[in-house]
Amino acid sequence: MEFTYGLLTGLIPGLAGAPSWVLVALGGLIPAFITFNFVGLGPIIYVYAERKISAFMQDRLGPMRVGPYGLLQTIADAIKLLFKEAIFPAGVDKLLFLVAPIIVVTGSFLPFVVIPWGARLQAVDLNVGVFYVSAVSSLATVGLIMAGWASDNKYALFGAMRSAAQIVSYEIPSVMALLTVVMMAGSLSLQDIVRGQAGGLQNWYLFRYFPLMPIAFLTFFTAGLAECNRTPFDIPEAESELVAGFHTEYSGFFFAMFFLAEYTEMFVISSVASVLFLGGFHAPHPSLQAIGALGLGWFWLLLKAWFLIFVMMWLRWTLPRLRVDQLMHVAWKVLLPISFVLVVVVGGLVLKWPAGFPWDRWVGWPITLVLMGFLIVGMIRAISWSRRRTEELLA
Amino acid sequence: MASEHRAADYAWDVGEIDTDEMILNMGPQHPATHGVLRIELRTDGEVVKAARPHIGYLHRCFEKHAENVDYPGVIPYTDRMDYVASMGNSLGYALAVEKLMGIEVSPYVQIIRVIVAELQRIASHCVAVGTYGMDIGAFTPFLHLLRDREKILDLFEWTCGARLLYNYNWVGGVSHDLPEGFPRACRDFLREFDAITFPELMELLIGNKIFVKRTANIGVCPVPLAVSFDLTGPNLRGSGVPRDLRKDAPYCGYQNYDFAVCLGKGDYGPTGSCFDRNLVRAREMAESSKILHQAVEALEKTEKTDVHEKVPKRVKPAAGEIYFRTEAPRGQLGYYIVADGTGVNPYRVKVKSPCFTAMSVFHILARGMMIADIIALIGSLDIVLGEIDR
Amino acid sequence: MKRWFTDLWEGFWTVVIGMKVTWRHLFTRSVTLQYPDVKWQLPPRTRMRLFMKYEDCIGCGQCVRACPVSCIYLKADKRPTTEPAIFAANGQPIKLDVHVFDIDMSLCCYCNLCTYPCPTDCIYMTPEYEFATTDLTHHLYHFAKKDAKFLTLNPKAAAAPPKPAPPAPPAAPAPQAPPSPPPASPAGA
């Protein structure tokens, strides 16, 4: 915010004399506006990416007709949803019905004001950033329950209740995992957390206290998957289950808003995970920092967040669904104990070794290179097998 | 071995239900019921107290049609019963009529029939396992298996011109000889299936912990229950009973092939769970592949005969009746044919459908399950409504 | 307690193995044919729309009897003997006038049983499968033609003795040279 403020007063000299609330409003609103637009255009890319990635994983092609290689498919779908008739079933509670999608979408957009896209590229640098993020992401739950209740449909209510129970149960391990990072960084502010990871890949919080922080990351990521209602935790929106979920009665634009909220929520979880565990806007090696427009680093954060979104999609198309009670079992009997133990142990370790175990610096690059090696080798083998097979078939 | 029939399970009135209970309808149109099947569930919250399946939405009067067309004309109708695995249906009928008339086909034709039947078994199990994975939520294995099924259907199209409903097994032979180069194409398919598709299926779906957790403890069908409700095929073998008609009452030269009977062993839970039935189907695909390798080798060594040589000009059996059973991919498919000796139409053709008997055990297994598991249970019984309703 | 750990490890490990499979598939070629632009090559034995060559039909009705769904409609009358003889392409004389030969493709089950009994092979399945219409009656194909050009000379006459001429005095035979009498026999057929 100070950055924008300085920029604005520099550009428009007369502005310095305006009443302070105007300056604060402008300094906050303009970055927020830019952020929201930037984030809101994301789902167009994510939906297309999901359809294409799922298609390639299933040996098919995905959208190919609308635009070259189907690039305009999401836009066509969005336009279609806009033009669809918004049906209001007879017994709905009009006000709640209309407000619910708005609350869900708001709840998924709000965390972005504190995500640091660069050293000074952040809408607002709250000194309670992490606390704000976890508080605000629970807002979506309220919207969900409102949607289920207002629908006047027994099955929608079931779906909404299940979904709300799922989100609330997974909040706890998610926040506990975040707490481990906060304890290491010593601050709730996201800028400070990112600053603590400067210097390259080996300093990322993912690799501290070696076996422990990766477990924290996995806990956070799994809990985050559940909060987005993604497979394997997508019982609330499962198409082949009996009840169609909380958004049964929504059509047209309102459905589009729930859809938007889901993909934005995915982006939230990925961004928060990238900021807290994967080094935020720092490049893996300091020399690479200059890549990306203006060298301000948002390119790197985007890349990491997009990679995590890809992993979420990858998991969706690999895994079957967990049943509701198994989902609860995972939350309360697996992730919760793990996260509590982590908080206690990391909390104790921080007293002795504030920055992590001494060998942490040597762990980051080898692990990353080994994992990337597996991925690249798999890719090369798949491509060469596929090419050989095509030649065989044509022979 | 009295089964626990309780009237409250399948004959209730709306007035009888308790205030906490709810009647839920999984209607004829439902993405997960494998056809047009209606299931009425009486549930207490999430737990199912009683289930009542309603069938008959796909009844097309097969047995009446069979009385009005001649013996070879019944074969297209048999194809359409279990439309996912039609080679098996026509094979059973053709063998039944041949036995009635005393026709013996040449070893060459028998080998062709075995090849085609086993390829169809793999294709049918691809659908069964794939759609089961899809019901559980794993979308990808379905598409990988369907890709392999398409390859099998390409082989069939090359042989007889049709992809799904073939009219291939005729009384006294088969409709077309295998085309030139079929052994090579078949081996090509099997090579890729054995090396890639099958291991990937085991890794991606069957071995997955979430899949195991979803299916290994539900729908447990103990052996007495399975036997008393006449479960056959993979459903029975999933409960651990080693009954396979290809071994116990071999037909069509199956005694010459070396293959194992896959059984459910209760690896991750009680024997006879949904997981076991599904595992049996997946493993049977590998066994069929083994049989196919042997059959293709035998094909190349056997002397070629004309596939139409034993096909009678007019199929007019003498008066008599016969019941003949074969191991279709879904279980024991039986044809009871009555010939009255006059005319070219059968007097009566009755089909004993394996899916019909599998469906009959549904209401017992469904008791005490959660709604989400009902879908897993239907998928594990592998029903095709075309065969249940005929 | 130990179960808890093994479950956790197995869950994690099987997920990773599954992810390996889908990662590989991300890079293999897709098997989709983009239909209207690329069409599947149909094999030679393919069974699609039926076709009947009216000039070869002898009106025997074998295909009608063989069809399990009764989708072929045939009406034929005896040809008057005053008309000139007509033949099918394989030499069989056509003794019947086929007024009506309709095939209802909406009833046809594509079983191919009608093609086998045909003595002249005039009915067969073609590779034509893109014949969807918006009107169901368009699927009733009428094969009987009013102005069909039949063969009046037996195409297989060179191989077999010529058929006895109709009762009317033949106009064709030119005065034959005595040294080579025509090899006709009264009962030749």
Side-chain angles (χ1 to χ4, degrees):
Chain A
M1 196 169 89
E2 289 72 24
F3 178 61
T4 335
Y5 178 79
L7 204 61
L8 281 173
T9 44
L11 285 174
I12 310 174
L15 211 49
S20 61
W21 65 264
V22 168
L23 290 168
V24 167
L26 280 181
L29 278 179
I30 293 183
F33 181 73
I34 298 176
T35 314
F36 286 173
N37 275 305
F38 171 61
V39 168
L41 289 177
I44 297 183
I45 307 176
Y46 306 144
V47 171
Y48 176 74
E50 167 123 61
R51 290 178 73 160
K52 277 305 219 191
I53 290 175
S54 71
F56 289 144
M57 282 183 179
Q58 295 165 355
D59 284 348
R60 29 176 207 106
L61 283 174
M64 292 289 279
R65 292 236 159 251
V66 186
Y69 295 102
L71 282 166
L72 302 178
Q73 180 73 45
T74 322
I75 301 183
D77 284 337
I79 297 177
K80 175 205 83 167
L81 280 170
L82 279 175
F83 279 115
K84 259 195 167 163
E85 178 192 355
I87 302 176
F88 293 109
V92 297
D93 188 331
K94 265 291 183 51
L95 180 65
L96 290 180
F97 196 74
L98 290 174
V99 167
I102 300 177
I103 294 192
V104 175
V105 168
T106 314
S108 57
F109 272 83
L110 278 178
F112 282 105
V113 292
V114 287
I115 305 264
W117 297 98
R120 288 166 308 164
L121 265 189
Q122 188 178 17
V124 179
D125 184 16
L126 290 180
N127 56 359
V128 287
V130 171
F131 185 63
Y132 168 79
V133 166
S134 27
V136 154
S137 58
S138 320
L139 199 57
T141 321
V142 175
L144 279 186
I145 301 185
M146 278 167 76
W149 176 256
S151 292
D152 192 38
N153 177 344
K154 164 165 65 173
Y155 306 132
L157 189 56
F158 271 171
M161 287 300 165
R162 276 196 208 164
S163 180
Q166 174 183 326
I167 295 186
V168 162
S169 328
Y170 279 90
E171 286 279 344
I172 305 181
S174 151
V175 170
M176 292 287 148
L178 292 182
L179 271 186
T180 56
V181 171
V182 166
M183 283 193 288
M184 282 195 53
S187 157
L188 284 169
S189 153
L190 287 172
Q191 276 288 359
D192 288 342
I193 293 178
V194 173
R195 210 170 294 139
Q197 300 180 70
L201 193 142
Q202 66 274 12
N203 287 336
W204 289 356
Y205 285 156
L206 177 61
F207 300 115
R208 307 287 181 104
Y209 297 119
F210 179 57
L212 298 177
M213 290 308 256
I215 299 181
F217 172 69
L218 286 174
T219 315
F220 177 71
F221 194 66
T222 314
L225 267 182
E227 291 196 35
C228 303
N229 292 338
R230 297 284 293 178
T231 321
F233 306 108
D234 69 345
I235 275 276
E237 54 180 55
E239 295 127 15
S240 61
E241 297 291 327
L242 192 55
V243 286
F246 58 88
H247 52 68
T248 322
E249 299 287 351
Y250 284 89
S251 51
F253 189 59
F254 300 112
F255 178 71
M257 289 178 87
F258 280 116
F259 216 52
L260 177 76
E262 174 180 335
Y263 283 94
T264 315
E265 190 66 41
M266 274 171 69
F267 193 34
V268 166
I269 302 286
S270 308
S271 310
V272 171
S274 310
V275 163
L276 264 72
F277 290 94
L278 296 183
F281 52 78
H282 289 298
H285 192 90
S287 59
L288 297 171
Q289 188 73 32
I291 299 180
L294 309 178
L296 291 175
W298 59 267
F299 168 78
W300 286 106
L301 180 52
L302 205 61
L303 202 62
K304 292 170 198 170
W306 280 3
F307 174 70
L308 286 180
I309 292 184
F310 168 71
V311 173
M312 286 189 180
M313 292 180 184
W314 189 2
L315 282 170
R316 177 176 185 183
W317 299 105
T318 311
L319 298 175
R321 221 174 269 140
L322 281 174
R323 207 173 55 207
V324 174
D325 60 321
Q326 291 167 343
L327 206 152
M328 289 299 166
H329 166 93
V330 166
W332 294 99
K333 296 202 213 162
V334 176
L335 288 183
L336 191 66
I338 294 181
S339 55
F340 276 164
V341 163
L342 275 176
V343 165
V344 167
V345 170
V346 170
L349 288 175
V350 158
L351 292 175
K352 174 98 188 309
W353 292 295
F357 292 145
W359 56 78
D360 285 342
R361 261 180 309 137
W362 309 113
V363 164
W365 278 106
I367 292 194
T368 314
L369 289 176
V370 164
L371 282 176
M372 278 184 61
F374 274 129
L375 290 180
I376 294 180
V377 164
M379 175 172 84
I380 294 178
R381 286 179 66 183
I383 296 180
S384 68
W385 176 86
S386 171
R387 200 167 290 158
R388 205 180 48 221
R389 184 72 187 149
T390 321
E391 279 156 16
E392 268 179 33
L393 285 175
L394 288 175
Chain B
M1 284 190 302
S3 58
E4 311 146 23
H5 284 292
R6 295 201 303 227
D9 286 347
Y10 49 84
W12 63 74
D13 277 324
V14 174
E16 283 170 12
I17 58 176
D18 297 334
T19 45
D20 278 343
E21 292 177 342
M22 182 169 73
I23 294 192
L24 209 53
N25 194 35
M26 279 178 67
Q29 298 142 327
H30 190 98
T33 54
H34 295 267
V36 271
L37 171 68
R38 175 174 161 228
I39 302 182
E40 241 181 290
L41 296 165
R42 203 171 88 180
T43 70
D44 175 11
E46 186 84 18
V47 177
V48 170
K49 282 295 185 45
R52 182 156 55 171
H54 294 259
I55 57 176
Y57 289 91
L58 200 50
H59 180 64
R60 294 154 294 168
C61 311
F62 162 76
E63 296 177 358
K64 182 67 181 169
H65 276 301
E67 295 174 11
N68 292 323
V69 287
D70 55 1
Y71 285 87
V74 173
I75 295 179
Y77 285 100
T78 60
D79 280 341
R80 282 148 175 84
M81 283 195 312
D82 179 1
Y83 39 77
V84 174
S86 39
M87 288 291 191
N89 300 7
S90 52
L91 178 65
Y93 176 79
L95 288 172
V97 178
E98 281 168 13
K99 189 131 180 244
L100 188 60
M101 292 179 72
I103 302 177
E104 280 271 341
V105 291
S106 67
Y108 180 69
V109 171
Q110 284 191 338
I111 297 178
I112 295 183
R113 280 180 170 172
V114 165
I115 290 180
V116 153
E118 291 305 312
L119 277 173
Q120 183 70 82
R121 194 178 306 267
I122 296 182
S124 168
H125 285 320
C126 279
V127 173
V129 176
T131 51
Y132 192 57
M134 207 165 65
D135 290 341
I136 301 285
F139 304 101
T140 316
F142 172 65
L143 286 145
H144 293 169
L145 288 174
L146 244 69
R147 181 201 62 207
D148 274 65
R149 181 181 154 89
E150 285 294 306
K151 292 182 195 151
I152 297 180
L153 298 190
D154 288 347
L155 286 174
F156 285 157
E157 193 187 19
W158 189 31
T159 307
C160 67
R163 289 182 83 86
L164 193 71
L165 303 166
Y166 317 101
N167 188 24
Y168 188 67
N169 287 305
W170 280 2
V171 176
V174 287
S175 73
H176 294 86
D177 198 350
L178 296 177
E180 275 297 318
F182 188 90
R184 180 174 160 247
C186 190
R187 286 209 176 96
D188 212 26
F189 162 72
L190 286 174
R191 203 168 15 130
E192 199 177 328
F193 182 78
D194 290 335
I196 306 220
T197 311
F198 186 71
E200 275 187 3
L201 168 70
M202 297 306 268
E203 281 178 350
L204 188 53
L205 186 65
I206 310 281
N208 192 301
K209 189 83 179 139
I210 301 178
F211 181 76
V212 166
K213 276 247 132 83
R214 276 297 292 269
T215 56
N217 286 308
I218 55 171
V220 180
C221 191
V223 176
L225 186 69
V227 172
S228 91
F229 272 87
D230 194 22
L231 247 49
T232 50
N235 295 331
L236 184 62
R237 293 198 278 278
S239 297
V241 180
R243 274 283 288 166
D244 186 336
L245 274 177
R246 294 174 291 168
K247 287 260 193 218
D248 300 330
Y251 51 91
C252 212
Y254 269 109
Q255 59 270 23
N256 305 329
Y257 304 107
D258 171 37
F259 61 99
V261 172
C262 307
L263 290 179
K265 297 212 178 62
D267 299 308
Y268 294 105
T271 315
S273 60
C274 292
F275 178 78
D276 279 332
R277 293 191 278 273
N278 205 47
L279 182 68
V280 165
R281 283 191 190 100
R283 290 226 179 103
E284 271 187 9
M285 287 201 273
E287 295 299 322
S288 289
S289 163
K290 254 197 324 205
I291 299 179
L292 276 166
H293 278 294
Q294 295 167 43
V296 171
E297 258 189 61
L299 182 81
E300 290 173 325
K301 297 202 183 89
T302 313
E303 174 206 339
K304 243 171 141 78
T305 59
D306 178 19
V307 296
H308 286 182
E309 94 184 308
K310 296 271 178 59
V311 176
K313 271 260 175 286
R314 270 257 153 124
V315 179
K316 260 186 106 155
E321 58 186 32
I322 186 168
Y323 178 72
F324 193 84
R325 344 171 256 178
T326 52
E327 181 81 17
R330 291 190 159 68
Q332 200 185 92
L333 179 64
Y335 282 90
Y336 176 62
I337 304 182
V338 178
D340 62 356
T342 65
V344 285
N345 298 356
Y347 182 73
R348 174 88 170 97
V349 174
K350 157 107 183 91
V351 176
K352 179 264 179 203
S353 147
C355 299
F356 186 79
T357 45
M359 202 61 208
S360 64
V361 81
F362 174 76
H363 73 276
I364 303 231
L365 295 179
R367 259 191 275 137
M369 278 189 162
M370 291 206 259
I371 299 180
D373 293 330
I374 295 287
I375 294 166
L377 178 61
I378 300 176
S380 77
L381 291 174
D382 191 17
I383 53 176
V384 167
L385 264 298
E387 194 172 57
I388 295 185
D389 292 338
R390 274 157 272 143
Chain C
M1 191 59 201
K2 180 164 178 280
R3 249 208 93 69
W4 189 88
F5 280 106
T6 46
D7 271 356
L8 190 63
W9 169 249
E10 273 178 22
F12 175 72
W13 184 241
T14 55
V15 165
V16 169
I17 300 228
M19 283 169 78
K20 170 189 82 164
V21 172
T22 29
W23 174 255
R24 281 203 301 243
H25 271 279
L26 198 53
F27 301 103
T28 53
R29 266 190 75 107
S30 96
V31 293
T32 314
L33 270 183
Q34 295 200 266
Y35 169 57
D37 307 326
V38 179
K39 295 197 188 173
W40 175 241
Q41 276 282 19
L42 291 171
R45 299 179 185 179
T46 196
R47 309 195 313 229
M48 301 291 172
R49 186 166 64 176
L50 275 171
F51 179 74
M52 197 277 282
K53 184 146 189 273
Y54 183 64
E55 288 79 11
D56 283 343
C57 178
I58 67 171
C60 61
Q62 291 288 349
C63 53
V64 182
R65 275 192 277 275
C67 177
V69 290
S70 312
C71 73
I72 306 184
Y73 309 109
L74 174 67
K75 256 182 63 127
D77 290 321
K78 260 184 112 76
R79 271 174 69 84
T81 44
T82 48
E83 302 265 334
I86 49 176
F87 302 94
N90 70 343
Q92 274 209 278
I94 301 182
K95 303 268 179 53
L96 295 173
D97 232 345
V98 179
H99 300 300
V100 173
F101 193 104
D102 294 342
I103 300 184
D104 191 348
M105 286 314 288
S106 65
L107 289 180
C108 174
C109 68
Y110 302 91
C111 64
N112 210 17
L113 282 175
C114 52
T115 59
Y116 293 96
C118 180
T120 53
D121 285 334
C122 68
I123 188 171
Y124 51 90
M125 299 205 105
T126 61
E128 174 63 45
Y129 59 94
E130 286 156 310
F131 57 95
T133 68
T134 47
D135 187 347
L136 192 59
T137 55
H138 289 173
H139 276 309
L140 184 63
Y141 290 89
H142 306 287
F143 287 103
K145 292 198 279 223
K146 286 263 156 52
D147 51 353
K149 294 271 190 313
F150 289 100
L151 293 172
T152 44
L153 286 177
N154 189 339
K156 300 284 194 264
K163 310 227 180 330
Q176 309 249 345
S180 55
S185 76

